[in-house]
Amino acid sequence: MDVIELTFPVRYVETDAMGVVHHSNYVVWFEVARSEYRRRHPENYAELDRQGVFLPIAELEVRYRAPARYGDVITVRSWVVELKSRRVTFAHEVRRASDGQVLAEGETVHICLDLQNGALRAIPPKVREGLVPYLIQPGKQK
Amino acid sequence: MDVIELTFPVRYVETDAMGVVHHSNYVVWFEVARSEYRRRHPENYAELDRQGVFLPIAELEVRYRAPARYGDVITVRSWVVELKSRRVTFAHEVRRASDGQVLAEGETVHICLDLQNGALRAIPPKVREGLVPYLIQPGKQK
Amino acid sequence: MDVIELTFPVRYVETDAMGVVHHSNYVVWFEVARSEYRRRHPENYAELDRQGVFLPIAELEVRYRAPARYGDVITVRSWVVELKSRRVTFAHEVRRASDGQVLAEGETVHICLDLQNGALRAIPPKVREGLVPYLIQPGKQK
Amino acid sequence: MDVIELTFPVRYVETDAMGVVHHSNYVVWFEVARSEYRRRHPENYAELDRQGVFLPIAELEVRYRAPARYGDVITVRSWVVELKSRRVTFAHEVRRASDGQVLAEGETVHICLDLQNGALRAIPPKVREGLVPYLIQPGKQK
Protein backbone atom coordinates (compact mmCIF):
# COMPACT_ATOMS: atom_id res chain seq x y z
CA MET A 1 0.00 0.00 0.00
CA ASP A 2 1.26 3.38 -0.97
CA VAL A 3 0.41 6.95 -0.08
CA ILE A 4 1.38 10.14 -1.88
CA GLU A 5 2.95 12.65 0.49
CA LEU A 6 4.18 16.17 -0.23
CA THR A 7 5.44 18.95 2.03
CA PHE A 8 5.58 22.68 1.19
CA PRO A 9 5.24 26.05 2.97
CA VAL A 10 2.05 28.13 2.91
CA ARG A 11 2.30 30.88 0.28
CA TYR A 12 1.50 34.39 1.46
CA VAL A 13 -0.94 34.86 -1.45
CA GLU A 14 -2.96 31.96 0.01
CA THR A 15 -3.86 33.91 3.16
CA ASP A 16 -6.95 36.08 3.48
CA ALA A 17 -8.04 39.07 5.57
CA MET A 18 -8.90 36.78 8.54
CA GLY A 19 -5.17 36.05 8.71
CA VAL A 20 -5.58 32.38 7.78
CA VAL A 21 -5.36 30.37 4.56
CA HIS A 22 -8.42 30.90 2.38
CA HIS A 23 -10.54 27.74 2.14
CA SER A 24 -10.23 27.48 -1.66
CA ASN A 25 -6.51 26.70 -1.39
CA TYR A 26 -7.05 23.33 0.25
CA VAL A 27 -8.73 22.26 -2.98
CA VAL A 28 -5.57 23.29 -4.84
CA TRP A 29 -3.36 21.45 -2.31
CA PHE A 30 -5.41 18.27 -2.82
CA GLU A 31 -4.60 18.54 -6.51
CA VAL A 32 -0.92 19.23 -5.85
CA ALA A 33 -0.83 15.84 -4.12
CA ARG A 34 -2.61 14.09 -7.00
CA SER A 35 -0.12 15.68 -9.41
CA GLU A 36 2.66 13.94 -7.53
CA TYR A 37 0.98 10.64 -8.42
CA ARG A 38 1.21 11.73 -12.04
CA ARG A 39 4.89 12.60 -11.71
CA ARG A 40 5.61 9.17 -10.27
CA HIS A 41 3.63 7.31 -12.94
CA PRO A 42 3.87 9.26 -16.21
CA GLU A 43 3.21 6.03 -18.16
CA ASN A 44 -0.34 5.85 -16.77
CA TYR A 45 -1.14 9.34 -17.93
CA ALA A 46 0.36 8.61 -21.34
CA GLU A 47 -2.01 5.63 -21.48
CA LEU A 48 -4.98 7.92 -20.76
CA ASP A 49 -3.93 10.07 -23.73
CA ARG A 50 -3.49 7.01 -25.97
CA GLN A 51 -6.98 5.79 -25.07
CA GLY A 52 -8.44 9.25 -25.65
CA VAL A 53 -9.91 9.52 -22.16
CA PHE A 54 -9.40 11.78 -19.15
CA LEU A 55 -10.35 11.78 -15.46
CA PRO A 56 -12.05 15.10 -14.62
CA ILE A 57 -13.27 15.83 -11.14
CA ALA A 58 -16.99 15.14 -10.70
CA GLU A 59 -17.41 15.64 -6.96
CA LEU A 60 -15.45 17.35 -4.23
CA GLU A 61 -15.87 17.28 -0.48
CA VAL A 62 -13.78 19.09 2.14
CA ARG A 63 -14.05 19.09 5.93
CA TYR A 64 -12.14 21.93 7.54
CA ARG A 65 -10.66 21.13 10.96
CA ALA A 66 -8.28 23.97 11.88
CA PRO A 67 -6.85 26.97 10.02
CA ALA A 68 -3.45 26.97 8.30
CA ARG A 69 -1.44 30.18 8.64
CA TYR A 70 1.41 31.92 6.86
CA GLY A 71 4.58 30.48 8.34
CA ASP A 72 3.13 26.95 8.55
CA VAL A 73 4.63 24.12 6.58
CA ILE A 74 1.96 21.84 5.12
CA THR A 75 1.98 18.11 4.51
CA VAL A 76 -0.64 16.73 2.10
CA ARG A 77 -1.27 13.01 1.80
CA SER A 78 -3.43 11.37 -0.83
CA TRP A 79 -4.52 7.80 -1.55
CA VAL A 80 -7.34 5.93 -3.32
CA VAL A 81 -10.45 4.96 -1.33
CA GLU A 82 -12.64 3.58 -4.11
CA LEU A 83 -11.81 2.17 -7.52
CA LYS A 84 -14.72 1.30 -9.80
CA SER A 85 -14.78 0.54 -13.50
CA ARG A 86 -15.56 4.09 -14.52
CA ARG A 87 -14.66 6.17 -11.47
CA VAL A 88 -11.96 6.56 -8.87
CA THR A 89 -12.14 8.38 -5.52
CA PHE A 90 -9.08 9.93 -3.91
CA ALA A 91 -8.89 10.80 -0.22
CA HIS A 92 -6.76 13.77 0.89
CA GLU A 93 -5.49 14.88 4.25
CA VAL A 94 -3.81 18.20 5.01
CA ARG A 95 -1.70 18.43 8.18
CA ARG A 96 0.51 21.08 9.75
CA ALA A 97 3.96 19.55 9.50
CA SER A 98 5.28 20.90 12.82
CA ASP A 99 2.84 19.02 15.07
CA GLY A 100 0.82 16.76 12.77
CA GLN A 101 -2.43 18.64 13.48
CA VAL A 102 -5.05 17.74 10.82
CA LEU A 103 -6.19 20.96 9.12
CA ALA A 104 -8.52 19.54 6.48
CA GLU A 105 -9.69 16.27 4.97
CA GLY A 106 -11.63 15.52 1.84
CA GLU A 107 -12.36 13.42 -1.20
CA THR A 108 -12.44 13.98 -4.93
CA VAL A 109 -14.40 11.70 -7.25
CA HIS A 110 -13.07 11.45 -10.81
CA ILE A 111 -14.95 9.91 -13.69
CA CYS A 112 -13.46 8.54 -16.88
CA LEU A 113 -14.70 10.45 -19.93
CA ASP A 114 -14.09 10.22 -23.66
CA LEU A 115 -12.11 13.28 -24.79
CA GLN A 116 -14.06 13.46 -28.07
CA ASN A 117 -17.69 13.15 -27.03
CA GLY A 118 -17.65 13.38 -23.24
CA ALA A 119 -19.25 9.92 -22.83
CA LEU A 120 -18.54 7.79 -19.75
CA ARG A 121 -15.86 5.20 -20.44
CA ALA A 122 -14.15 2.44 -18.47
CA ILE A 123 -10.85 3.40 -16.87
CA PRO A 124 -8.17 1.75 -19.07
CA PRO A 125 -6.91 -1.52 -17.44
CA LYS A 126 -3.28 -0.35 -17.23
CA VAL A 127 -4.35 2.83 -15.45
CA ARG A 128 -6.54 0.85 -13.02
CA GLU A 129 -3.65 -1.46 -12.20
CA GLY A 130 -1.45 1.56 -11.53
CA LEU A 131 -3.98 2.84 -9.00
CA VAL A 132 -4.39 -0.44 -7.08
CA PRO A 133 -1.27 0.02 -4.90
CA TYR A 134 -2.74 3.33 -3.66
CA LEU A 135 -6.07 1.75 -2.68
CA ILE A 136 -6.63 1.73 1.06
CA GLN A 137 -9.97 0.61 2.48
CA PRO A 138 -11.49 3.24 4.76
CA GLY A 139 -10.59 2.56 8.38
CA LYS A 140 -7.39 0.70 7.46
CA GLN A 141 -3.99 1.84 8.65
CA LYS A 142 -2.32 4.26 6.23
CA MET B 1 -38.29 33.82 -0.03
CA ASP B 2 -35.20 35.37 -1.45
CA VAL B 3 -32.24 34.16 -3.48
CA ILE B 4 -28.90 35.85 -4.06
CA GLU B 5 -28.06 36.05 -7.75
CA LEU B 6 -24.95 37.44 -9.42
CA THR B 7 -23.76 37.42 -13.03
CA PHE B 8 -20.18 37.90 -14.25
CA PRO B 9 -17.91 36.74 -17.08
CA VAL B 10 -15.34 33.94 -16.69
CA ARG B 11 -11.87 35.41 -16.11
CA TYR B 12 -9.10 34.10 -18.36
CA VAL B 13 -6.90 33.36 -15.33
CA GLU B 14 -9.60 30.92 -14.18
CA THR B 15 -9.05 28.59 -17.15
CA ASP B 16 -6.59 25.70 -17.11
CA ALA B 17 -4.62 23.71 -19.68
CA MET B 18 -7.69 21.54 -20.50
CA GLY B 19 -9.25 24.75 -21.89
CA VAL B 20 -11.96 24.86 -19.20
CA VAL B 21 -12.40 26.63 -15.87
CA HIS B 22 -10.30 25.00 -13.14
CA HIS B 23 -12.49 23.29 -10.53
CA SER B 24 -11.17 25.41 -7.62
CA ASN B 25 -12.81 28.54 -9.05
CA TYR B 26 -16.35 27.30 -8.44
CA VAL B 27 -15.51 27.40 -4.73
CA VAL B 28 -14.54 31.06 -5.16
CA TRP B 29 -17.72 31.79 -7.15
CA PHE B 30 -19.84 30.28 -4.36
CA GLU B 31 -18.20 32.77 -2.00
CA VAL B 32 -18.72 35.66 -4.42
CA ALA B 33 -22.46 34.94 -4.15
CA ARG B 34 -22.34 34.79 -0.35
CA SER B 35 -20.49 38.13 -0.32
CA GLU B 36 -23.45 39.67 -2.12
CA TYR B 37 -25.57 38.66 0.86
CA ARG B 38 -23.11 40.60 3.01
CA ARG B 39 -23.34 43.65 0.76
CA ARG B 40 -27.13 43.61 1.01
CA HIS B 41 -27.17 43.19 4.81
CA PRO B 42 -24.13 44.98 6.26
CA GLU B 43 -25.96 45.38 9.59
CA ASN B 44 -25.91 41.59 10.12
CA TYR B 45 -22.16 41.43 9.66
CA ALA B 46 -21.68 44.39 11.98
CA GLU B 47 -23.70 42.41 14.54
CA LEU B 48 -21.32 39.44 14.15
CA ASP B 49 -18.42 41.78 14.93
CA ARG B 50 -20.23 43.28 17.92
CA GLN B 51 -20.89 39.79 19.32
CA GLY B 52 -17.29 38.76 18.71
CA VAL B 53 -18.22 35.78 16.55
CA PHE B 54 -17.64 34.75 12.96
CA LEU B 55 -18.99 32.13 10.54
CA PRO B 56 -16.07 30.20 9.02
CA ILE B 57 -16.65 27.43 6.53
CA ALA B 58 -16.59 23.96 8.13
CA GLU B 59 -17.65 21.78 5.21
CA LEU B 60 -17.76 22.16 1.44
CA GLU B 61 -19.32 19.99 -1.21
CA VAL B 62 -19.34 20.53 -4.98
CA ARG B 63 -20.90 18.45 -7.75
CA TYR B 64 -19.53 19.33 -11.17
CA ARG B 65 -22.03 18.97 -14.04
CA ALA B 66 -20.48 20.60 -17.13
CA PRO B 67 -17.39 22.73 -17.75
CA ALA B 68 -17.41 26.53 -17.89
CA ARG B 69 -15.19 28.08 -20.56
CA TYR B 70 -13.56 31.43 -21.26
CA GLY B 71 -16.17 33.52 -23.04
CA ASP B 72 -19.01 32.17 -20.87
CA VAL B 73 -20.99 34.47 -18.64
CA ILE B 74 -21.75 32.85 -15.29
CA THR B 75 -24.78 33.20 -13.04
CA VAL B 76 -24.36 32.09 -9.42
CA ARG B 77 -27.35 31.70 -7.12
CA SER B 78 -27.18 31.12 -3.40
CA TRP B 79 -29.72 30.52 -0.65
CA VAL B 80 -29.98 28.94 2.80
CA VAL B 81 -30.97 25.27 3.09
CA GLU B 82 -30.50 24.71 6.81
CA LEU B 83 -30.46 27.10 9.75
CA LYS B 84 -29.60 25.66 13.15
CA SER B 85 -28.68 27.43 16.38
CA ARG B 86 -24.96 27.18 15.77
CA ARG B 87 -24.62 26.47 12.05
CA VAL B 88 -26.03 27.58 8.70
CA THR B 89 -25.81 25.77 5.37
CA PHE B 90 -25.83 27.66 2.08
CA ALA B 91 -26.69 26.04 -1.26
CA HIS B 92 -25.06 27.33 -4.44
CA GLU B 93 -25.81 26.83 -8.10
CA VAL B 94 -23.59 27.89 -11.00
CA ARG B 95 -25.21 28.21 -14.42
CA ARG B 96 -24.07 29.34 -17.86
CA ALA B 97 -26.09 32.52 -18.38
CA SER B 98 -26.63 32.06 -22.12
CA ASP B 99 -28.69 28.85 -21.91
CA GLY B 100 -29.21 28.21 -18.19
CA GLN B 101 -27.14 25.00 -18.26
CA VAL B 102 -26.21 23.99 -14.70
CA LEU B 103 -22.40 23.79 -14.45
CA ALA B 104 -21.99 23.04 -10.75
CA GLU B 105 -23.94 22.78 -7.52
CA GLY B 106 -22.83 22.60 -3.94
CA GLU B 107 -23.20 23.45 -0.30
CA THR B 108 -21.09 25.18 2.34
CA VAL B 109 -21.65 24.61 6.05
CA HIS B 110 -20.66 27.50 8.31
CA ILE B 111 -20.35 27.26 12.07
CA CYS B 112 -20.53 30.13 14.52
CA LEU B 113 -17.27 30.50 16.46
CA ASP B 114 -16.02 32.84 19.15
CA LEU B 115 -13.30 35.10 17.69
CA GLN B 116 -11.31 34.98 20.95
CA ASN B 117 -11.19 31.32 21.88
CA GLY B 118 -12.62 29.50 18.83
CA ALA B 119 -15.47 27.94 20.88
CA LEU B 120 -18.80 27.07 19.25
CA ARG B 121 -21.40 29.80 19.87
CA ALA B 122 -25.03 30.35 18.97
CA ILE B 123 -25.63 32.47 15.87
CA PRO B 124 -26.74 35.89 17.21
CA PRO B 125 -30.58 36.24 17.00
CA LYS B 126 -30.46 39.30 14.72
CA VAL B 127 -28.21 37.46 12.29
CA ARG B 128 -30.48 34.38 12.32
CA GLU B 129 -33.53 36.55 11.59
CA GLY B 130 -31.65 38.11 8.68
CA LEU B 131 -31.03 34.66 7.21
CA VAL B 132 -34.63 33.40 7.49
CA PRO B 133 -35.87 35.07 4.26
CA TYR B 134 -33.17 33.16 2.35
CA LEU B 135 -34.19 29.78 3.80
CA ILE B 136 -35.70 27.47 1.19
CA GLN B 137 -36.55 23.89 2.07
CA PRO B 138 -34.87 21.43 -0.30
CA GLY B 139 -37.23 20.48 -3.11
CA LYS B 140 -39.20 23.72 -2.87
CA GLN B 141 -39.47 26.13 -5.81
CA LYS B 142 -36.73 28.77 -5.84
CA MET C 1 -10.98 57.83 -28.62
CA ASP C 2 -12.28 54.98 -26.55
CA VAL C 3 -11.46 53.50 -23.17
CA ILE C 4 -12.44 50.13 -21.74
CA GLU C 5 -14.05 50.47 -18.32
CA LEU C 6 -15.29 47.77 -15.98
CA THR C 7 -16.59 47.86 -12.42
CA PHE C 8 -16.74 44.93 -9.96
CA PRO C 9 -16.45 44.28 -6.22
CA VAL C 10 -13.26 42.99 -4.55
CA ARG C 11 -13.49 39.23 -3.97
CA TYR C 12 -12.72 38.03 -0.46
CA VAL C 13 -10.25 35.46 -1.82
CA GLU C 14 -8.23 38.39 -3.21
CA THR C 15 -7.40 39.72 0.26
CA ASP C 16 -4.31 38.67 2.23
CA ALA C 17 -3.25 38.53 5.87
CA MET C 18 -2.43 42.27 5.87
CA GLY C 19 -6.17 42.84 5.35
CA VAL C 20 -5.71 44.33 1.87
CA VAL C 21 -5.89 42.99 -1.67
CA HIS C 22 -2.80 40.95 -2.54
CA HIS C 23 -0.67 42.68 -5.16
CA SER C 24 -0.92 39.83 -7.69
CA ASN C 25 -4.64 40.50 -8.19
CA TYR C 26 -4.10 43.85 -9.88
CA VAL C 27 -2.38 41.92 -12.66
CA VAL C 28 -5.53 39.82 -13.01
CA TRP C 29 -7.75 42.91 -12.96
CA PHE C 30 -5.69 44.47 -15.77
CA GLU C 31 -6.45 41.36 -17.81
CA VAL C 32 -10.15 41.45 -16.89
CA ALA C 33 -10.24 44.89 -18.54
CA ARG C 34 -8.41 43.68 -21.66
CA SER C 35 -10.88 40.77 -21.91
CA GLU C 36 -13.67 43.31 -22.18
CA TYR C 37 -11.96 44.62 -25.31
CA ARG C 38 -12.15 41.07 -26.64
CA ARG C 39 -15.85 40.79 -25.79
CA ARG C 40 -16.56 44.02 -27.65
CA HIS C 41 -14.55 43.02 -30.71
CA PRO C 42 -14.75 39.25 -31.16
CA GLU C 43 -14.06 39.65 -34.89
CA ASN C 44 -10.52 40.89 -34.15
CA TYR C 45 -9.74 37.84 -32.07
CA ALA C 46 -11.19 35.56 -34.73
CA GLU C 47 -8.79 37.28 -37.16
CA LEU C 48 -5.85 36.47 -34.87
CA ASP C 49 -6.87 32.81 -34.98
CA ARG C 50 -7.28 32.86 -38.76
CA GLN C 51 -3.79 34.35 -39.15
CA GLY C 52 -2.35 31.80 -36.72
CA VAL C 53 -0.92 34.43 -34.37
CA PHE C 54 -1.47 35.44 -30.76
CA LEU C 55 -0.56 38.38 -28.53
CA PRO C 56 1.11 37.06 -25.36
CA ILE C 57 2.30 39.39 -22.65
CA ALA C 58 6.02 40.17 -22.90
CA GLU C 59 6.39 42.86 -20.23
CA LEU C 60 4.39 43.98 -17.24
CA GLU C 61 4.76 47.00 -15.00
CA VAL C 62 2.62 47.96 -12.01
CA ARG C 63 2.88 50.99 -9.71
CA TYR C 64 0.90 50.53 -6.50
CA ARG C 65 -0.61 53.74 -5.07
CA ALA C 66 -3.03 52.72 -2.29
CA PRO C 67 -4.45 49.41 -1.06
CA ALA C 68 -7.82 48.02 -2.14
CA ARG C 69 -9.84 46.33 0.60
CA TYR C 70 -12.70 43.84 0.86
CA GLY C 71 -15.88 45.86 0.57
CA ASP C 72 -14.40 48.18 -2.08
CA VAL C 73 -15.86 48.32 -5.56
CA ILE C 74 -13.15 48.57 -8.21
CA THR C 75 -13.15 50.36 -11.55
CA VAL C 76 -10.50 49.29 -14.06
CA ARG C 77 -9.84 51.31 -17.19
CA SER C 78 -7.65 50.22 -20.07
CA TRP C 79 -6.51 51.84 -23.32
CA VAL C 80 -3.68 51.58 -25.86
CA VAL C 81 -0.58 53.76 -25.38
CA GLU C 82 1.65 52.40 -28.13
CA LEU C 83 0.87 50.53 -31.33
CA LYS C 84 3.82 49.27 -33.36
CA SER C 85 3.91 46.79 -36.21
CA ARG C 86 4.70 43.82 -33.99
CA ARG C 87 3.74 44.99 -30.51
CA VAL C 88 1.00 46.82 -28.66
CA THR C 89 1.15 48.37 -25.20
CA PHE C 90 -1.94 48.69 -23.03
CA ALA C 91 -2.19 51.10 -20.09
CA HIS C 92 -4.34 50.18 -17.09
CA GLU C 93 -5.67 52.15 -14.18
CA VAL C 94 -7.38 50.73 -11.09
CA ARG C 95 -9.53 53.10 -9.02
CA ARG C 96 -11.75 52.73 -5.98
CA ALA C 97 -15.20 53.42 -7.40
CA SER C 98 -16.58 55.24 -4.33
CA ASP C 99 -14.15 58.18 -4.43
CA GLY C 100 -12.09 57.73 -7.60
CA GLN C 101 -8.85 57.17 -5.63
CA VAL C 102 -6.20 55.64 -7.91
CA LEU C 103 -5.06 52.33 -6.38
CA ALA C 104 -2.68 51.11 -9.09
CA GLU C 105 -1.49 51.91 -12.59
CA GLY C 106 0.50 49.89 -15.05
CA GLU C 107 1.27 48.76 -18.56
CA THR C 108 1.38 45.44 -20.37
CA VAL C 109 3.41 44.99 -23.57
CA HIS C 110 2.11 42.30 -25.93
CA ILE C 111 4.05 40.95 -28.88
CA CYS C 112 2.60 39.23 -31.92
CA LEU C 113 3.86 35.66 -32.24
CA ASP C 114 3.29 32.83 -34.68
CA LEU C 115 1.30 30.06 -32.97
CA GLN C 116 3.29 27.38 -34.80
CA ASN C 117 6.91 28.40 -34.37
CA GLY C 118 6.82 31.27 -31.87
CA ALA C 119 8.43 33.69 -34.36
CA LEU C 120 7.71 37.44 -34.18
CA ARG C 121 5.05 38.45 -36.71
CA ALA C 122 3.35 41.68 -37.72
CA ILE C 123 0.00 42.35 -36.03
CA PRO C 124 -2.64 41.59 -38.72
CA PRO C 125 -3.89 44.86 -40.34
CA LYS C 126 -7.53 44.30 -39.34
CA VAL C 127 -6.50 43.80 -35.72
CA ARG C 128 -4.33 46.94 -35.78
CA GLU C 129 -7.21 48.98 -37.15
CA GLY C 130 -9.44 47.67 -34.38
CA LEU C 131 -6.95 48.92 -31.79
CA VAL C 132 -6.54 52.44 -33.22
CA PRO C 133 -9.68 53.88 -31.57
CA TYR C 134 -8.25 52.86 -28.17
CA LEU C 135 -4.92 54.61 -28.80
CA ILE C 136 -4.38 57.61 -26.54
CA GLN C 137 -1.05 59.41 -26.52
CA PRO C 138 0.43 59.62 -23.03
CA GLY C 139 -0.49 62.91 -21.39
CA LYS C 140 -3.65 63.31 -23.48
CA GLN C 141 -7.10 63.52 -21.87
CA LYS C 142 -8.76 60.14 -21.43
CA MET D 1 27.06 37.46 -1.31
CA ASP D 2 24.00 35.37 -0.98
CA VAL D 3 21.06 34.47 -3.20
CA ILE D 4 17.72 32.97 -2.26
CA GLU D 5 16.91 29.91 -4.35
CA LEU D 6 13.81 27.72 -4.30
CA THR D 7 12.67 24.85 -6.52
CA PHE D 8 9.10 23.57 -6.93
CA PRO D 9 6.88 22.00 -9.60
CA VAL D 10 4.32 23.99 -11.62
CA ARG D 11 0.83 23.54 -10.15
CA TYR D 12 -1.90 22.55 -12.59
CA VAL D 13 -4.13 25.40 -11.36
CA GLU D 14 -1.43 27.80 -12.58
CA THR D 15 -1.92 26.86 -16.23
CA ASP D 16 -4.38 28.61 -18.55
CA ALA D 17 -6.29 27.77 -21.70
CA MET D 18 -3.20 28.45 -23.88
CA GLY D 19 -1.64 25.43 -22.15
CA VAL D 20 1.04 27.50 -20.40
CA VAL D 21 1.41 29.07 -16.96
CA HIS D 22 -0.70 32.23 -16.63
CA HIS D 23 1.46 35.34 -16.38
CA SER D 24 0.10 36.36 -12.96
CA ASN D 25 1.73 33.34 -11.30
CA TYR D 26 5.27 34.59 -11.87
CA VAL D 27 4.39 37.47 -9.55
CA VAL D 28 3.41 34.90 -6.91
CA TRP D 29 6.60 32.90 -7.51
CA PHE D 30 8.69 36.05 -6.99
CA GLU D 31 7.02 36.39 -3.60
CA VAL D 32 7.54 32.73 -2.76
CA ALA D 33 11.28 33.40 -3.13
CA ARG D 34 11.12 36.52 -0.95
CA SER D 35 9.25 34.50 1.70
CA GLU D 36 12.22 32.16 1.87
CA TYR D 37 14.31 35.17 2.90
CA ARG D 38 11.83 35.69 5.72
CA ARG D 39 12.06 32.05 6.80
CA ARG D 40 15.85 32.29 6.95
CA HIS D 41 15.83 35.55 8.93
CA PRO D 42 12.76 35.61 11.19
CA GLU D 43 14.56 38.03 13.55
CA ASN D 44 14.52 40.75 10.86
CA TYR D 45 10.78 40.46 10.40
CA ALA D 46 10.26 40.49 14.16
CA GLU D 47 12.27 43.74 14.17
CA LEU D 48 9.91 45.22 11.54
CA ASP D 49 6.98 44.42 13.84
CA ARG D 50 8.75 45.90 16.87
CA GLN D 51 9.42 49.11 14.96
CA GLY D 52 5.82 49.24 13.70
CA VAL D 53 6.79 49.34 10.04
CA PHE D 54 6.25 47.09 7.04
CA LEU D 55 7.65 46.77 3.50
CA PRO D 56 4.76 46.71 1.01
CA ILE D 57 5.38 46.41 -2.70
CA ALA D 58 5.33 49.79 -4.46
CA GLU D 59 6.44 48.80 -7.97
CA LEU D 60 6.60 45.58 -9.94
CA GLU D 61 8.21 44.80 -13.26
CA VAL D 62 8.25 41.46 -15.10
CA ARG D 63 9.87 40.54 -18.42
CA TYR D 64 8.53 37.27 -19.81
CA ARG D 65 11.08 35.22 -21.81
CA ALA D 66 9.56 31.79 -22.41
CA PRO D 67 6.46 29.97 -21.15
CA ALA D 68 6.46 27.56 -18.20
CA ARG D 69 4.27 24.47 -18.62
CA TYR D 70 2.62 21.88 -16.40
CA GLY D 71 5.24 19.21 -15.79
CA ASP D 72 8.06 21.76 -15.53
CA VAL D 73 9.99 22.16 -12.31
CA ILE D 74 10.73 25.82 -11.56
CA THR D 75 13.73 27.42 -9.87
CA VAL D 76 13.26 30.97 -8.57
CA ARG D 77 16.23 33.03 -7.44
CA SER D 78 16.01 36.35 -5.66
CA TRP D 79 18.54 38.90 -4.42
CA VAL D 80 18.76 42.61 -3.58
CA VAL D 81 19.77 45.07 -6.32
CA GLU D 82 19.26 48.37 -4.52
CA LEU D 83 19.16 49.26 -0.84
CA LYS D 84 18.27 52.84 0.08
CA SER D 85 17.31 54.32 3.42
CA ARG D 86 13.58 53.95 2.80
CA ARG D 87 13.31 51.42 -0.01
CA VAL D 88 14.72 48.11 -1.13
CA THR D 89 14.58 46.55 -4.61
CA PHE D 90 14.63 42.79 -5.09
CA ALA D 91 15.54 41.13 -8.39
CA HIS D 92 13.93 37.80 -9.32
CA GLU D 93 14.72 35.22 -11.91
CA VAL D 94 12.54 32.24 -12.87
CA ARG D 95 14.22 29.33 -14.67
CA ARG D 96 13.10 25.91 -15.87
CA ALA D 97 15.10 23.58 -13.64
CA SER D 98 15.69 20.89 -16.28
CA ASP D 99 17.75 23.03 -18.67
CA GLY D 100 18.25 26.36 -16.91
CA GLN D 101 16.20 28.26 -19.53
CA VAL D 102 15.22 31.70 -18.18
CA LEU D 103 11.41 31.98 -18.23
CA ALA D 104 10.96 35.39 -16.59
CA GLU D 105 12.89 38.12 -14.81
CA GLY D 106 11.72 41.08 -12.81
CA GLU D 107 12.06 43.45 -9.91
CA THR D 108 9.89 44.46 -6.98
CA VAL D 109 10.42 47.78 -5.17
CA HIS D 110 9.38 47.82 -1.50
CA ILE D 111 9.03 50.96 0.57
CA CYS D 112 9.15 51.17 4.34
CA LEU D 113 5.87 52.46 5.77
CA ASP D 114 4.58 53.17 9.25
CA LEU D 115 1.87 50.62 10.13
CA GLN D 116 -0.16 53.28 11.97
CA ASN D 117 -0.27 56.22 9.61
CA GLY D 118 1.20 54.92 6.35
CA ALA D 119 4.03 57.51 6.39
CA LEU D 120 7.40 56.76 4.75
CA ARG D 121 9.96 55.62 7.34
CA ALA D 122 13.60 54.61 7.27
CA ILE D 123 14.23 50.85 7.09
CA PRO D 124 15.30 49.84 10.63
CA PRO D 125 19.14 49.51 10.83
CA LYS D 126 19.03 45.83 11.89
CA VAL D 127 16.82 44.99 8.91
CA ARG D 128 19.11 46.90 6.52
CA GLU D 129 22.13 45.01 7.82
CA GLY D 130 20.30 41.74 7.28
CA LEU D 131 19.72 42.66 3.64
CA VAL D 132 23.32 43.67 2.85
CA PRO D 133 24.58 40.09 2.25
CA TYR D 134 21.92 39.72 -0.48
CA LEU D 135 22.96 42.93 -2.26
CA ILE D 136 24.51 42.26 -5.65
CA GLN D 137 25.35 45.14 -7.96
CA PRO D 138 23.71 44.74 -11.37
CA GLY D 139 26.12 43.12 -13.80
CA LYS D 140 28.06 41.34 -11.04
CA GLN D 141 28.37 37.56 -10.90
CA LYS D 142 25.62 35.92 -8.90
Side-chain angles (χ1 to χ4, degrees), chain C residues 12 17 28-29 36 47 50 55 60 68 80 100 105-106 113 125 142:
Chain C
Y12 189 67
V28 170
W29 295 348
E36 176 64 16
E47 177 71 8
R50 257 193 307 275
L55 291 168
L60 163 71
V80 175
E105 301 168 296
L113 295 185
K142 294 185 287 285

Side-chain angles (χ1 to χ4, degrees), chain D residues 28-103:
Chain D
V28 170
W29 295 349
F30 287 2
E31 185 180 60
V32 166
R34 294 195 308 275
S35 289
E36 176 64 18
Y37 171 81
R38 181 180 177 138
R39 249 190 309 283
R40 288 197 204 174
H41 302 285
E43 71 287 2
N44 291 345
Y45 282 83
E47 177 70 9
L48 287 175
D49 287 346
R50 258 193 306 276
Q51 301 290 336
V53 297
F54 68 123
L55 291 168
I57 190 166
E59 291 173 43
L60 163 70
E61 201 178 316
V62 190
R63 294 172 298 282
Y64 298 91
R65 302 303 188 203
R69 293 170 196 280
Y70 183 56
D72 287 349
V73 174
I74 297 302
T75 298
V76 191
R77 306 174 82 214
S78 182
W79 62 95
V80 174
V81 281
E82 194 183 57
L83 185 53
K84 296 206 164 173
S85 66
R86 299 187 290 191
R87 50 186 267 171
V88 51
T89 304
F90 288 90
H92 311 80
E93 187 189 76
V94 175
R95 289 175 185 265
R96 186 163 51 214
S98 62
D99 62 358
Q101 163 77 45
V102 176
L103 304 177

Side-chain angles (χ1 to χ4, degrees), chain A residues 55-140:
Chain A
L55 290 168
I57 190 166
E59 290 173 44
L60 163 70
E61 202 179 315
V62 190
R63 295 171 298 282
Y64 298 91
R65 302 301 188 204
R69 293 172 195 280
Y70 183 55
D72 288 348
V73 174
I74 297 302
T75 298
V76 191
R77 306 174 80 212
S78 182
W79 61 95
V80 174
V81 280
E82 194 183 58
L83 186 52
K84 296 206 165 173
S85 65
R86 297 186 292 192
R87 50 185 266 172
V88 52
T89 304
F90 288 91
H92 311 80
E93 187 188 75
V94 174
R95 290 175 185 266
R96 188 163 50 215
S98 61
D99 61 359
Q101 162 78 46
V102 175
L103 305 177
E105 300 168 295
E107 292 82 37
T108 52
V109 178
H110 302 255
I111 52 176
C112 188
L113 295 185
D114 191 297
L115 265 171
Q116 295 302 317
N117 58 22
L120 261 179
R121 291 264 303 269
I123 299 174
K126 267 177 79 168
V127 175
R128 271 184 62 89
E129 286 162 36
L131 289 164
V132 168
Y134 294 90
L135 181 59
I136 302 177
Q137 302 303 328
K140 287 286 172 62

Side-chain angles (χ1 to χ4, degrees), chain B residues 3-6 30-42 45 76 78 134, chain C residues 9 70:
Chain B
V3 166
I4 297 287
E5 184 172 317
L6 269 181
F30 287 2
E31 184 179 59
V32 165
R34 295 195 306 276
S35 289
E36 176 63 17
Y37 171 82
R38 183 181 176 136
R39 249 189 310 283
R40 289 196 202 174
H41 302 285
Y45 283 83
V76 190
S78 182
Y134 295 90
Chain C
Y70 183 55

